[in-house]
Amino acid sequence: KLLGYSGLYLLVDQFVLLAGNKTRELSNIVRKIHTLMPDQLLPPKDKCFATAFSTYQNALSRLSQDSSLRTETLHCFRELGNIIIILLLLEQNLNIQESLDLKHAAPFTGKLPPPFIQYPPNITPE
């Protein structure tokens, strides 16, 4: 109610621009992860579990050592999730407000449902 429809439009527009920026940042992070990933991850099939585990651990050690990647990625996902939650809450509140407006305007527009009257068994409606 405080913002009105034009204020909501500006707010949603800014959130959409911010979400676009965050998705671009996340695509850059995914590209960086792709460059850090090894070319071949599959270990030989005839090796035991310990050998396969050490192969994966050695191959992904560069990813685990990059602390800036971890903090940037989690922060971007957190911000993007917060934007989505705020937009969903705005939509939910807008739907509630519109339904209340329609409910309050119903007597003035003539869109009232017929009243439900339950007659006692000994009285018949005329």
Side-chain angles (χ1 to χ4, degrees):
K1 277 196 160 191
L2 295 174
L3 293 174
Y5 288 111
S6 61
L8 280 176
Y9 169 75
L10 292 174
L11 190 65
V12 169
D13 188 43
Q14 290 301 315
F15 275 131
V16 168
L17 289 175
L18 189 61
N21 291 339
K22 290 298 163 193
T23 53
R24 276 187 232 100
E25 283 182 38
L26 282 173
S27 67
N28 291 337
I29 290 171
V30 168
R31 283 190 196 102
K32 187 176 179 182
I33 290 173
H34 188 332
T35 59
L36 292 175
M37 292 291 287
D39 294 332
Q40 184 178 8
L41 264 179
L42 297 175
K45 293 184 180 186
D46 57 343
K47 300 294 180 181
C48 65
F49 175 75
T51 308
F53 181 75
S54 65
T55 304
Y56 285 122
Q57 188 176 17
N58 291 334
L60 299 175
S61 64
R62 288 187 297 172
L63 276 176
S64 64
Q65 291 172 357
D66 194 359
S67 64
S68 66
L69 181 69
R70 182 176 37 216
T71 57
E72 290 174 18
T73 306
L74 293 178
H75 186 66
C76 280
F77 276 119
R78 187 181 318 118
E79 286 182 347
L80 189 61
N82 287 342
I83 290 169
I84 292 170
I85 289 172
I86 288 171
L87 288 176
L88 286 174
L89 288 173
L90 275 174
E91 180 187 13
Q92 184 181 19
N93 287 332
L94 189 61
N95 286 337
I96 290 171
Q97 185 63 39
E98 286 179 356
S99 65
L100 284 175
D101 288 345
L102 289 173
K103 180 182 173 187
H104 291 297
F108 302 110
T109 58
K111 302 210 188 265
L112 287 175
F116 177 75
I117 300 173
Q118 188 172 11
Y119 294 102
N122 58 355
I123 298 176
T124 60
E126 297 178 14

